[in-house]
Amino acid sequence: MKTPVEGFSKLSKAEKIDWIAQNCTEDPKTSKQLLERYWNTDPQVQKLHDEFIENTLSNYYLPFAVAPNFLIDGEIYAIPMAIEESSVVAAASKAAKFWLDRGGFKTEILGTEKVGQVHFIYKGDPKKLASFFETLKPELLQSVSTITQNMEKRGGGINHIELRDLSDKIEGYHQLHCTFETLDAMGANFINSCLEQFAQTLKEKAKLHTDFSEEEKNIEVVMSILSNYVPHCVVKAEVSCPIAQLETKDMPAEEFAQKFLRAVNIAKVEPYRAVTHNKGIMNGIDAVVLATGNDFRAVEAGGHAYAAKEGRYSSLTHAKIEDGVFKFWIEVPLALGTVGGLTTLHPLVKLALEILQKPSAKELMRIVAVAGLAQNFAAVRSLVTTGIQKGHMKMHLLNMLNQMGASENEKKQLVEYFKNHTVTNASVKEALEKIQSQR
């Protein structure tokens, strides 16, 4: 592409594809065929997908899988996952099976409060602003009554509005720090609508406030936006069992428990390890969040911020051994929804929620946290026993064989062969060439 394009969004879908193929790809004909090959055969379903975002050209597929046998608070679940990374679903399933006979996963909702803020600049007497805010608060709530009435009928709404003075950090910087309960909705649009109305009311009422000077009346609203940091919208998931029940073919139970504990403690104190440790947790969390039509970028951002809440980036999971009992748990912020957004539009999202027995937002929080804990248990277990590559590379074997153009019969032979041999790119290539040379 040598020059910018004007009016791209106004082109038809076919025209957009033509332009992209001609200006941005080496083989326009093949590129167009590839994009069209991934369209849904049902025009109505494709139209639905086209309208999710702007400038849609095609659909980008991810595998949609389930990890079965999760015992969560006494109920059995098969957990839907949408993810491309080899071994994630297998690892989660293996962890679920391991804990199925050891009491399963126990969960607890620690809070469901979400946050939004109006950021503004006020240059004047802070005492006058504080006094103004106390008289303004009822008017702020009244100004959003039409927005909040339905949410309030269901038991949600605005919990609290607080004036915060941060002028020691940025000159004149203040904020309305607001907390919300949005029930089964993730609540982004609800929160942002309330905040923008708060901002408008704040500016209008400040101009009329007789105690303010002319400069003080001129409040500058910088922005009004929800926060994806939700340290009070948190769920805890836990597994535990007597140490003796941790016996595996790879290692005695006591040795395994101690090594596992040390591995988690290393992730607590070493940020380089903690980032990868928590990335493994997000393998499980993101896969379920994506499958259920939620915002995995928001969950990631909030989760990593929570991991640094003590001033140093650290593990989201914790482990201890107490009175001969091994305990492993996670506390993680999860702002999720089961109504609104894609949950009522995307056919596979609706199916995923049906597979999960149509959970409430709280129930989905529990399930997602368990997926993250299971994934982390499986990863750490591999790390302290056989090493991560043995299992991961075997799961990656089919991808490697597909890249090398192996036939179905060759793949079958090599999957059997590598059950007892080390998988590396070189060893797979060598074994495939050996089979092909015997034709």
Side-chain angles (χ1 to χ4, degrees):
M1 186 173 69
K2 293 183 174 61
T3 58
V5 57
E6 293 288 340
F8 185 76
S9 64
K10 295 181 175 61
L11 299 178
S12 68
K13 182 178 175 180
E15 289 170 334
K16 288 171 185 170
I17 290 173
D18 279 338
W19 188 89
I20 286 289
Q22 293 294 334
N23 290 277
C24 301
T25 72
E26 294 177 358
D27 186 343
K29 182 179 179 182
T30 301
S31 298
K32 288 174 64 175
Q33 289 173 345
L34 178 62
L35 289 170
E36 292 171 5
R37 194 181 306 145
Y38 279 84
W39 290 355
N40 196 287
T41 54
D42 184 332
Q44 288 304 113
V45 173
Q46 185 56 52
K47 185 173 185 295
L48 184 67
H49 282 262
D50 286 348
E51 294 175 355
F52 285 157
I53 59 172
E54 303 78 25
N55 297 338
T56 303
L57 305 180
S58 190
N59 306 314
Y60 186 92
Y61 289 0
L62 285 176
F64 181 88
V66 292
N69 300 322
F70 275 90
L71 177 59
I72 305 174
D73 299 321
E75 297 289 332
I76 298 285
Y77 291 88
I79 299 184
M81 292 182 158
I83 190 167
E84 87 299 342
E85 185 171 336
S86 300
S87 80
V88 168
V89 176
S93 301
K94 190 173 182 180
K97 187 176 180 181
F98 181 89
W99 288 105
L100 183 64
D101 300 323
R102 294 169 175 82
F105 297 82
K106 307 292 191 300
T107 69
E108 179 185 0
I109 300 294
L110 303 181
T112 56
E113 190 173 76
K114 293 161 189 172
V115 175
Q117 297 166 321
V118 177
H119 305 267
F120 66 95
I121 302 298
Y122 164 82
K123 295 181 179 178
D125 184 345
K127 291 182 180 178
K128 289 163 70 173
L129 180 63
S131 175
F132 167 64
F133 172 70
E134 290 305 316
T135 61
L136 180 67
K137 196 185 297 186
E139 295 185 63
L140 289 173
L141 294 172
Q142 179 58 39
S143 72
V144 295
S145 58
T146 56
I147 301 171
T148 61
Q149 59 184 355
N150 288 334
M151 185 69 76
E152 287 171 350
K153 285 176 186 176
R154 299 194 295 272
I158 300 162
N159 291 344
H160 188 61
I161 308 174
E162 174 187 349
L163 174 67
R164 293 188 173 182
D165 183 349
L166 298 169
S167 56
D168 61 323
K169 295 178 173 62
I170 298 174
E171 184 184 359
Y173 173 38
H174 295 72
Q175 62 181 226
L176 299 181
H177 184 89
C178 313
T179 57
F180 301 81
E181 173 57 63
T182 62
L183 304 171
D184 286 337
M186 188 274 177
N189 290 331
F190 169 76
I191 291 171
N192 287 336
S193 295
C194 289
L195 294 172
E196 289 184 0
Q197 182 57 56
F198 287 163
Q200 184 177 331
T201 303
L202 171 68
K203 289 176 67 176
E204 289 173 355
K205 297 300 180 182
K207 288 187 181 299
L208 301 174
H209 191 56
T210 55
D211 286 350
F212 280 165
S213 67
E214 286 306 308
E215 184 181 35
E216 289 169 334
K217 288 180 179 181
N218 249 343
I219 284 177
E220 176 197 346
V221 172
V222 180
M223 55 186 165
S224 309
I225 186 70
L226 90 163
S227 173
N228 291 127
Y229 184 44
V230 284
H232 301 295
C233 185
V234 176
V235 57
K236 178 181 179 181
E238 177 183 303
V239 288
S240 65
C241 70
I243 290 176
Q245 293 184 16
L246 295 174
E247 187 79 38
T248 72
K249 63 179 181 180
D250 302 306
M251 192 175 291
E254 181 68 37
E255 182 184 357
F256 170 76
Q258 292 295 340
K259 281 195 168 186
F260 193 102
L261 185 62
R262 281 195 290 270
V264 174
N265 286 339
I266 287 170
K268 281 180 172 295
V269 302
E270 172 49 72
Y272 280 89
R273 171 58 198 147
V275 170
T276 308
H277 181 91
N278 290 343
K279 184 270 180 186
I281 292 168
M282 292 300 171
N283 279 343
I285 286 177
D286 284 354
V288 188
V289 171
L290 190 56
T292 57
N294 277 274
D295 187 345
F296 69 92
R297 286 89 47 192
V299 167
E300 282 268 359
H304 292 301
Y306 193 76
K309 69 183 186 299
E310 304 297 336
R312 180 185 179 89
Y313 191 87
S314 185
S315 168
L316 285 167
T317 54
H318 316 273
K320 69 177 179 180
I321 298 170
E322 193 173 67
D323 299 326
V325 175
F326 170 85
K327 293 184 179 180
F328 181 51
W329 73 98
I330 187 171
E331 291 182 12
V332 61
L334 292 171
L336 304 174
T338 55
V339 299
L342 289 188
T343 60
T344 53
L345 288 176
H346 197 300
L348 279 177
V349 168
K350 292 198 296 187
L351 179 62
L353 292 171
E354 185 179 343
I355 290 170
L356 291 173
Q357 308 306 303
K358 299 181 180 178
S360 65
K362 285 183 179 180
E363 289 166 340
L364 186 57
M365 286 173 69
R366 296 174 189 270
I367 292 164
V368 171
V370 163
L373 185 67
Q375 195 65 37
N376 193 225
F377 176 79
V380 175
R381 182 186 184 189
S382 291
L383 284 168
V384 302
T385 54
T386 61
I388 203 74
Q389 283 302 91
K390 182 179 178 181
H392 179 76
M393 291 305 289
K394 285 195 174 181
M395 291 304 301
H396 199 54
L397 177 59
L398 284 177
N399 284 346
M400 296 167 69
L401 291 171
N402 283 331
Q403 288 171 2
M404 295 173 187
S407 68
E408 290 303 312
N409 185 52
E410 289 166 347
K411 284 190 275 189
K412 185 177 179 181
Q413 290 182 64
L414 290 171
V415 165
E416 187 64 30
Y417 173 79
F418 279 105
K419 284 181 179 179
N420 300 305
H421 293 81
T422 301
V423 177
T424 66
N425 193 70
S427 65
V428 173
K429 185 178 181 182
E430 182 182 349
L432 177 59
E433 288 175 348
K434 185 177 179 180
I435 289 175
Q436 291 173 338
S437 70
Q438 294 171 354
R439 287 175 182 169

